[in-house]
């Protein structure tokens, strides 16, 4: 049972670049796991994944040609079903033996032992180990099925299906070709390298030589991570030589690493006159359309130079550089044309054109939406004491850039171009900045709108969508969220909580609902929407590292002031660190359960009906600390409010030790319940402390 390195390679046409890293990792990991499951490889074996634009491959160390045999014990059937009293086999047993291919002579080797309450027959046999050449095709097919491929294609005259046509299959175990057939291809040891720089077809000596041979003879860096690291190193070194910076380039680096097999970085440039166009436009066209890396000065201003990651390494790159410069120039000229054309017409004059754009067939046009945003942004600005006129003006202009030439060509620039055009029209920075910022935050970790006017417009944009779609019953289901409502809800929560803004979420929902025509929204959308917000908030807080118990305790009170939530969480976490916390949380849980069973809601406790010393002591101490608790709570000092409550522990413990709450006398019982109700009210102002009890 000799072991050697196993190489599996699929040589394909160009694979989807954005999916390439995952395809490579999944392919390698699945093959490794399948071999481990068959006893042909160790879990700790050295696994090396390879993914380039035209290949998926893996090498796995110390793979066995044949796995070790093993003993397998299986239950055959209950003795009562299998054997007569004299031990002769019954028909069911003989039938089962025939089905399993077990000779009748093996019955003498069956073991009788208890299986639950009945005696059963068990059979132990030696199962030979798996042979690599017999299972390798099955293993590779399992890896292909596991690949995250949304669509497959058929090519040529065959029936094989894959994300791209596959032209060669290599399966090498050491220096031996392992017979196998996958995707209508028969295994071999010949691969291909770079389309232009390779010496042609390459015969591999053995599996261990794969990477070095591809690099030396095929001019291919097959490992995605190594290729990415090489590109990153070349980019940073060249940027330093140009005395420039690269800006944020990680996403583009991943994509470009999946587009080249032998990366080499060159410098290109364009005419400085194009820098009169907003740099966001130039950056987008270079990165998205041409996969170039723009260069910036130390202040973040775009330079008229860029870096090209070429798939060719040549002595004189002049033709490559000039060709790329020729290609990018028309793109930049288009951006300049769109910018110049758009500025000939004021942004405000475009608003009426939004009436021709359908937002949703039940929620009207984009112009209808803009009019709702205008009203809602003004209402939110009023609540914040901000400039209502500026908020309404920004909301009026917020969607106007959607009908500009630039945004029509580059939708990613919506909001950004609105700001440029608003400034050009003399709208003022507050309005222009709010036009751009009303989409914020666009994704997790994105920045928030700055200033109350921008925040008002951003909140209006998201709340209008949430109320509108919840109001017509278009809720997210499962992983489907076509209108981005989860993202919108998280945006609202982050703006309210992190800015922070002293606004009540329920009141904001009411404000948003007033913008819709009568009878359009269902009557019961508000509570489901508030519940939707709470679930998003729960996930947001847990992802931020807060404990499940503290989050549940705070959210159990259904808070609608998001700006107060962080302080309440901090107070609960500080309370949990106190020595009295566990006992008080347990007592609070007990109180909650008692009050749930009460036939009527407790009123106010009457001092005249207090009988036991323990209940009198609790009553006196509760009355003594209540003003402090309320004062700290009203001043937002939730930590101190809970710390004061912690001083009640001794009185609470004594009360439960010495007092029978459910006394036979109705008035005494009701009074004790009232005392517990008053205690619960004070204890649960900040959070439901019973949720902290294990």
């Amino acid at each position: 049972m000799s072991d050697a390195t196993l190489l599996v390679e699929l040589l394909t046409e160009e694979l989807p670049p954005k999916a390439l890293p995952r395809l490579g990792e999944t392919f390698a990991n699945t093959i490794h796991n399948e071999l481990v499951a068959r006893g042909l490889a160790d879990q700790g074996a050295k696994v090396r994944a390879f993914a380039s634009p035209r290949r998926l491959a893996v090498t796995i160390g110390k793979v066995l040609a044949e796995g070790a045999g093993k003993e397998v014990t299986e239950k055959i059937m209950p003795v009562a079903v299998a054997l007569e009293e004299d031990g002769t086999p019954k028909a069911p047993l003989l039938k089962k033996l025939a089905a399993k291919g077990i000779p009748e002579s093996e019955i003498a080797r069956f073991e009788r032992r208890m299986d639950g309450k009945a005696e059963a027959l068990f059979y132990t046999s030696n199962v030979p180990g798996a042979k690599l050449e017999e299972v390798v095709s099955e293993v590779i097919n399992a890896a292909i099925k596991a690949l995250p491929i949304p669509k497959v294609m058929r090519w040529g005259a065959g029936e094989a299906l894959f994300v791209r046509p596959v032209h060669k299959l290599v399966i090498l175990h050491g220096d031996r070709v392992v017979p196998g057939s996958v995707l209508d291809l028969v295994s071999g040891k010949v691969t291909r390298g770079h389309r232009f720089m390779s010496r042609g077809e390459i015969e591999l000596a053995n599996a261990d030589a794969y990477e070095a041979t591809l690099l030396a003879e095929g001019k291919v860096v097959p490992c995605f991570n190594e290729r990415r690291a090489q590109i990153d190193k070349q980019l940073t070194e060249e940027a330093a030589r140009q005395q420039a910076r690269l800006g944020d380039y990680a996403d583009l680096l991943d994509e470009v690493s999946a587009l080249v097999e032998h990366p080499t970085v060159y410098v290109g440039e364009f005419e400085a006159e194009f820098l009169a166009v907003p740099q966001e436009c130039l950056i987008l066209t270079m990165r998205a359309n041409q996969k170039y890396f723009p260069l910036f000065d130390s202040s973040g201003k775009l330079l008229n130079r860029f870096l090209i990651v070429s798939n060719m390494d040549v002595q004189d790159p002049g033709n490559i550089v000039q060709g790329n410069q020729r290609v990018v120039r028309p793109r930049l000229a288009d951006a300049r044309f769109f910018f110049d054309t758009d500025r000939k017409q004021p942004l405000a004059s475009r608003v009426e054109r939004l009436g021709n754009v359908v937002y949703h067939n039940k929620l009207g046009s984009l112009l209808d939406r803009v009019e709702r945003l205008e009203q809602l942004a003004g209402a939110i600005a009023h609540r914040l004491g901000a400039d209502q006129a500026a908020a309404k003006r920004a909301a009026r202009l917020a969607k106007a850039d959607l009908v500009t030439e630039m945004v029509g060509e580059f939708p990613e620039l919506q909001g950004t171009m609105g700001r440029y055009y608003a400034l050009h029209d003399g709208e003022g920075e507050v309005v222009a900045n709010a036009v751009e910022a009303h989409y914020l935050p666009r994704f997790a970790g994105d920045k928030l709108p700055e200033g109350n006017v921008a925040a008002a417009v951003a909140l209006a944009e998201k709340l209008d969508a949430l109320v509108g779609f919840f109001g017509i019953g278009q809720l997210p289901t499962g992983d489907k969220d076509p209108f981005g409502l989860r993202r919108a809800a998280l945006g609202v929560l982050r703006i309210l909580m992190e800015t922070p803004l002293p606004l009540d979420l329920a009141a904001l929902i009411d404000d948003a609902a007033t913008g819709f025509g009568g009878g359009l929204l269902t009557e019961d959308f508000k509570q489901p929407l508030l519940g939707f917000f709470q679930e998003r908030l729960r996930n947001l807080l847990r992802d931020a590292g807060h404990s499940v118990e503290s989050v549940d305790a705070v959210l159990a009170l259904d808070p609608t002031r998001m700006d107060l939530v962080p302080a309440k969480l901090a107070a609960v976490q500080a309370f949990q660190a106190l020595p009295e916390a566990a006992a008080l949380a347990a007592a609070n849980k007990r109180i909650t359960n008692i009050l749930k069973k009460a036939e009527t809601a407790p009123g106010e406790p009457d001092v005249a009906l207090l009988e036991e010393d323990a209940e009198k002591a609790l009553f006196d101490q509760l009355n003594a600390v209540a003003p402090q608790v309320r004062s700290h709570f009203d001043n937002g000092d939730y930590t101190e409010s809970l710390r004061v409550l912690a001083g009640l522990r001794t009185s609470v413990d004594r009360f439960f030790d010495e007092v029978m709450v459910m006394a036979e006398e109705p008035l005494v019982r009701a009074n004790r319940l009232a005392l517990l109700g008053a205690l619960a009210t004070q204890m649960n102002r900040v959070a439901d402390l019973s949720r902290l009890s294990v």
Side-chain angles (χ1 to χ4, degrees):
M1 292 186 294
S2 60
D3 64 62
T5 299
L6 176 70
L7 163 67
V8 177
E9 181 197 57
L10 292 178
L11 191 70
T12 72
E13 293 186 11
E14 276 70 9
L15 294 163
K18 292 185 178 179
L20 186 63
R22 278 202 307 148
L23 292 176
E25 290 169 9
T26 304
F27 186 72
N29 291 337
T30 306
I31 288 179
H32 176 224
N33 291 337
E34 292 286 331
L35 292 172
V36 170
R38 290 165 173 78
L40 294 171
D42 291 334
Q43 191 65 54
K46 182 180 179 181
V47 180
R48 193 147 171 78
F50 303 100
S52 79
R54 300 195 302 135
R55 77 197 68 240
L56 295 176
V58 59
T59 56
I60 303 170
K62 296 186 176 180
V63 173
L64 296 170
E66 182 177 348
K70 58 183 177 180
E71 285 191 343
V72 175
T73 300
E74 60 178 320
K75 176 185 172 182
I76 300 299
M77 61 177 57
V79 171
V81 178
L83 302 174
E84 302 286 359
E85 289 186 6
D86 62 359
T88 58
K90 293 182 180 180
L93 176 59
L94 295 175
K95 186 177 180 180
K96 184 142 188 190
L97 293 182
K100 286 184 167 291
I102 300 173
E104 190 175 335
S105 60
E106 289 290 288
I107 294 176
R109 296 184 53 242
F110 286 2
E111 179 186 0
R112 298 169 66 146
R113 64 171 185 255
M114 296 303 294
D115 180 45
K117 295 183 178 180
E119 190 178 27
L121 294 178
F122 290 84
Y123 176 57
T124 300
S125 60
N126 290 313
V127 178
K131 294 182 178 179
L132 180 62
E133 64 183 44
E134 293 178 356
V135 302
V136 70
S137 297
E138 179 185 328
V139 165
I140 299 171
N141 279 319
I144 290 171
K145 287 182 180 179
L147 295 177
I149 300 172
K151 292 181 180 179
V152 294
M153 61 183 294
R154 183 179 284 113
W155 61 96
E159 295 298 315
L161 295 171
F162 196 59
V163 63
R164 294 290 186 272
V166 183
H167 298 299
K168 283 187 178 295
L169 168 67
V170 174
I171 310 176
L172 276 180
H173 186 227
D175 58 3
R176 179 177 70 93
V177 174
V178 182
S181 176
V182 175
L183 298 174
D184 296 338
L185 296 170
V186 176
S187 60
K189 61 191 308 183
V190 174
T191 186
R192 294 175 187 158
H194 193 282
R195 281 193 186 276
F196 307 109
M197 296 194 297
S198 174
R199 67 169 179 81
E201 291 196 336
I202 301 166
E203 183 172 324
L204 299 166
N206 55 63
D208 289 311
Y210 175 70
E211 188 172 5
T213 303
L214 263 185
L215 182 59
E217 299 184 30
K219 303 303 179 186
V220 170
V221 181
C223 176
F224 178 87
N225 290 332
E226 286 196 7
R227 207 163 55 249
R228 186 184 189 278
Q230 285 187 22
I231 296 171
D232 196 14
K233 182 173 183 289
Q234 290 186 53
L235 288 171
T236 52
E237 288 176 350
E238 189 57 55
R241 281 193 287 271
Q242 298 293 321
Q243 297 183 321
R245 297 182 179 181
L246 284 160
D248 183 10
Y249 67 102
D251 288 347
L252 181 57
L253 176 60
D254 287 338
E255 188 174 358
V256 169
S257 300
L259 290 170
V260 297
E261 292 186 315
H262 191 99
T264 308
V265 171
Y266 302 118
V267 183
E269 65 178 27
F270 56 86
E271 290 80 355
E273 63 192 55
F274 286 118
L275 294 176
V277 179
Q279 70 178 43
E280 292 89 345
C281 308
L282 307 181
I283 293 167
L284 181 62
T285 194
M286 283 191 283
R287 284 179 172 165
N289 298 122
Q290 305 306 133
K291 313 305 176 189
Y292 299 153
F293 292 79
L295 293 174
F296 305 86
D297 67 15
S298 58
S299 66
K301 184 179 178 182
L302 182 68
L303 301 172
N304 65 320
R305 282 167 283 155
F306 56 91
L307 300 183
I308 306 156
V309 179
S310 173
N311 199 28
M312 296 287 290
D313 183 9
V314 295
Q315 289 280 344
D316 181 7
N319 288 336
I320 293 175
V321 172
Q322 290 167 20
N324 280 278
Q325 290 177 167
R326 241 186 346 263
V327 168
V328 78
R329 193 171 294 114
R331 289 280 188 177
L332 302 182
D334 286 346
R336 181 172 59 184
F337 172 78
F338 295 144
F339 184 56
D340 291 341
T341 301
D342 287 339
R343 287 184 299 168
K344 293 176 182 178
Q345 184 178 350
L347 195 61
S349 68
R350 300 176 183 271
V351 174
E352 293 300 321
R353 288 173 55 188
L354 296 172
N356 299 322
V357 182
V358 175
Y359 173 56
H360 186 275
N361 59 355
K362 290 186 178 179
L363 300 176
S365 67
L366 273 180
L367 180 59
D368 295 326
R369 186 170 194 230
V370 162
E371 289 170 350
R372 292 195 301 270
L373 295 182
E374 197 173 357
Q375 174 185 332
L376 181 54
I380 296 172
H382 175 69
R383 289 183 180 277
L384 290 171
D387 187 336
Q388 287 180 259
K392 293 177 75 172
R393 182 63 174 173
R396 181 76 180 171
L397 300 175
K399 303 296 182 183
D401 67 352
L402 295 177
V403 289
T404 61
E405 297 290 334
M406 185 72 83
V407 174
E409 181 71 15
F410 302 112
E412 301 91 338
L413 293 175
Q414 55 189 282
T416 299
M417 297 315 301
R419 176 181 177 275
Y420 278 108
Y421 296 147
L423 288 173
H424 177 265
D425 296 342
E427 293 289 349
E429 285 199 13
V430 171
V431 170
N433 290 342
V435 168
E436 179 178 33
H438 86 282
Y439 289 108
L440 299 178
R442 293 181 177 88
F443 50 84
D446 193 17
K447 63 183 180 180
L448 300 179
E450 296 182 7
N452 285 348
V453 169
V457 183
L459 286 171
E461 202 272 341
K462 295 161 183 60
L463 287 164
D464 175 81
L466 287 157
V467 169
F469 286 112
F470 265 74
I472 61 172
Q474 294 290 314
L475 283 63
T477 56
D479 60 350
K480 295 181 180 179
D481 185 12
F483 305 112
L485 301 185
R486 293 188 179 96
R487 183 176 66 248
L490 286 170
V492 170
L493 293 170
R494 285 193 58 209
I495 292 170
L496 294 176
M497 187 166 58
E498 297 175 27
T499 304
L501 298 177
L503 298 173
D504 184 274
L505 181 58
L508 292 177
I509 291 173
D510 290 337
D511 286 346
T514 61
F516 293 89
L520 178 61
L521 306 181
T522 60
E523 294 181 2
D524 58 350
F525 79 90
K526 185 174 180 180
Q527 286 308 314
L529 180 52
L530 284 170
F532 182 74
F533 270 114
Q534 186 168 92
E535 282 309 303
R536 305 283 79 70
L537 178 60
R538 188 183 308 278
N539 295 334
L540 183 64
L541 296 174
R542 288 178 179 176
D543 290 346
H546 297 288
S547 69
V548 172
E549 295 80 9
S550 60
V551 171
D552 288 348
V554 171
L555 298 193
L557 302 187
D558 295 327
T560 55
R561 281 283 301 274
M562 299 301 121
D563 57 313
L564 304 180
V565 167
K568 290 183 177 181
L569 271 173
V572 168
Q573 289 164 352
F575 173 77
Q576 287 179 288
L578 298 175
E580 301 89 352
L584 280 174
N588 197 16
K589 188 172 184 178
R590 185 174 179 183
I591 292 168
T592 300
N593 291 333
I594 291 171
L595 294 177
K596 282 180 181 177
K597 296 176 182 178
E599 296 177 358
T600 59
E604 292 293 324
D606 185 348
V607 66
L609 294 174
L610 300 175
E611 295 180 348
E612 304 287 344
D613 289 344
E615 62 182 325
K616 292 176 182 178
L618 179 58
F619 178 84
D620 290 341
Q621 191 173 6
L622 182 60
N623 283 339
V625 303
Q628 299 177 59
V629 172
R630 283 194 298 270
S631 176
H632 290 310
F633 181 86
D634 292 342
N635 289 326
D637 192 349
Y638 305 126
T639 301
E640 189 61 20
S641 179
L642 291 178
R643 192 195 65 77
V644 171
L645 281 170
L648 294 174
R649 178 193 170 175
T650 302
S651 296
V652 171
D653 288 347
R654 183 184 172 198
F655 175 87
F656 281 115
D657 287 341
E658 300 179 14
V659 177
M660 174 67 72
V661 177
M662 305 306 286
E664 292 186 9
E665 212 300 320
L667 289 177
V668 173
R669 181 171 65 249
N671 197 57
R672 289 173 180 171
L673 289 172
L675 178 58
L676 291 181
L679 176 60
T681 298
Q682 296 302 327
M683 291 179 72
N684 296 324
R685 285 182 180 275
V686 175
D688 181 353
L689 300 185
S690 69
R691 301 297 181 100
L692 304 178
S693 179
V694 179

